[in-house]
Amino acid sequence: MSDAMFASARSSDAPEAFDDTQPRVVDYLALLKPRVMSLVVFTGVVGLVAAPGSINPVLAVLAILCIAVGAGASGALNMWYDADIDARMKRTRGRPIPAGRLTDGDALALGIGLSVGSVVVLGLFINVLSAALLAFTIAFYVVVYTMWLKRRTAQNIVIGGAAGALPPVIGWAVVTGSVTWQPLLLFAIIFMWTPPHFWALSLFAKNDDEKVGVPMLPVVAGLRETRKQILIYSLLLVPLAVSPSVLGMAGLLYGAVSVILGAVFLGLAWRVWRGDDLVQPRRLFLFSILYLFALYAALLVEKVVGLS
Amino acid sequence: MPLSEEHKKRRARNWAIAAVLLALVVLFYLASIAKMAGAGDAW
């Protein structure tokens, strides 16, 4: 197993030496990948709010907490499995396990505990469908993406992106107990957004990926092909992101945001394709975060204010 | 005797765990009430 190769600095039978490698609360929080978790929570909330019907606010908070904890558990299990490559990459070597502040066993125990806890609580207090979707999301991210695809194929983030796209579907299922075409459209938008977002990142993090043997597209197919694929996925993403307005799921505000920001997205993707520098990929990467946030925020505002 | 830096860290961790557990107890209590109220509505 990958983490077997990794020698943790904090052995379980070591004396209780108090030093800088002692874990702190922030180390456990870092295992949960709070930045990823925040996007998951946000899209989950939008799915929940956009769904028809109502839910008791306390149950809604509990459901969102379960989605957040499930996402955090996935992050902890990802860090447990990837500790060996995290230790060799500049971007990730400061994480709690490579830095020696937590053992891989700590991350595994926390990840499994939180996974089981979040799924069980969601199932008991909300409904079986949302719990099943959360369990599937965690399993997909950990087993299919982290353990299977990530180190084997350049399509890792394309297929693995399904896990990151599921939170709005879970949010919708929390309220309705069902999955219809609307949450699947929300899923599809994030699914299509993931490749240009991560490939833009991988263009300027190529050296790290290459060093540890993760077959990201720039490593396997080259920079030119990656730039082309970013443009192709962007061309698919932008019309898809506009479609909720066309299909009557969203209103004018969402329509305007999706068209204007979509045009900017395409412009940046075009520049990435035409250029050969790393400035444009960095711009696209940063803009893609704003883009997804703005799309979902527009949906949220429309629903809360009653515009759709 | 003043607490060492490590003891302060451990104490902070214990307080954080206690706070999380207390918050969960309150949340589960409120969720149970909400769930039971919902069940009552159904009848």
Side-chain angles (χ1 to χ4, degrees), chain A residues 16 18-20 22-25 28 56 58-59 61-62 65 121 124-127, chain B residues 4 6-7 9-10 12-14 16-17 24 27-32 34-35 37:
Chain A
E16 280 281 284
F18 288 116
D19 54 37
D20 283 347
Q22 280 292 307
R24 293 169 299 161
V25 174
Y28 289 98
N56 183 292
V58 175
L59 294 177
V61 168
L62 185 63
L65 182 69
V121 170
L124 286 175
F125 281 94
I126 308 296
N127 57 50
Chain B
S4 68
E6 291 74 27
H7 279 102
K9 276 184 193 171
R10 183 164 288 182
R13 195 162 71 227
N14 290 343
I17 292 169
L24 282 178
L27 185 59
F28 287 146
Y29 174 74
L30 293 174
S32 300
K35 195 80 178 151

Side-chain angles (χ1 to χ4, degrees), chain A residues 127-163:
Chain A
N127 57 50
V128 174
L129 177 63
S130 58
L133 283 168
L134 181 62
F136 177 77
T137 304
I138 297 168
F140 196 89
Y141 183 74
V142 176
V143 179
V144 177
Y145 170 69
T146 304
M147 295 181 178
W148 181 29
L149 297 173
K150 184 174 177 179
R151 304 184 193 209
R152 282 180 177 77
T153 169
Q155 295 301 308
N156 47 15
I157 53 108
V158 178
I159 304 165

